Amino acid sequence: MNLNLENQSVLITGSSSGIGRSIAEGFLEENARVILTGRNKRTLSSTADELIDKYIKENVFSFAGDLNDPSELKSIHQFILKKKY
């Protein structure tokens, strides 16, 4: 299916495993740039590595942190702005 998502950026919370990871893979299959997030750095890193091996490396980004924390929201906002998606 072609959803015309090439070069579109998507932030997916809780994407280091389970449903979030599956959603991330769906977007990557459509050539979107995906920002993975999760609280567990090890799991997030492992997921990012696996997705980089399977999809275009330049389309996979990751941010570890608890997005319930307002300071982490500020941090991910800066992360996104710095990457200039």
Side-chain angles (χ1 to χ4, degrees):
M1 177 179 338
N2 184 352
L3 299 175
N4 296 316
L5 296 175
E6 190 167 341
N7 297 319
Q8 298 298 310
S9 299
V10 182
L11 170 67
I12 304 170
T13 60
S15 51
S16 58
S17 63
I19 294 170
R21 179 191 169 130
S22 295
I23 292 168
E25 286 203 63
F27 278 104
L28 287 165
E29 288 171 1
E30 294 293 326
N31 294 313
R33 291 183 297 252
V34 174
I35 306 158
L36 308 168
T37 67
R39 291 179 284 181
N40 185 305
K41 289 181 183 181
R42 183 181 299 171
T43 304
L44 182 62
S45 178
S46 175
T47 297
D49 289 343
E50 290 172 18
L51 295 177
I52 285 169
D53 287 343
K54 191 172 180 180
Y55 300 98
I56 300 169
K57 177 181 180 177
E58 291 78 20
N59 284 353
V60 180
F61 304 89
S62 64
F63 180 88
D66 182 353
L67 298 182
N68 286 314
D69 179 344
S71 67
E72 291 293 330
L73 287 176
K74 283 185 178 181
S75 295
I76 196 167
H77 181 248
Q78 291 302 314
F79 175 83
I80 292 168
L81 290 176
K82 191 185 312 182
K83 295 291 182 188
K84 297 185 181 184
Y85 302 101

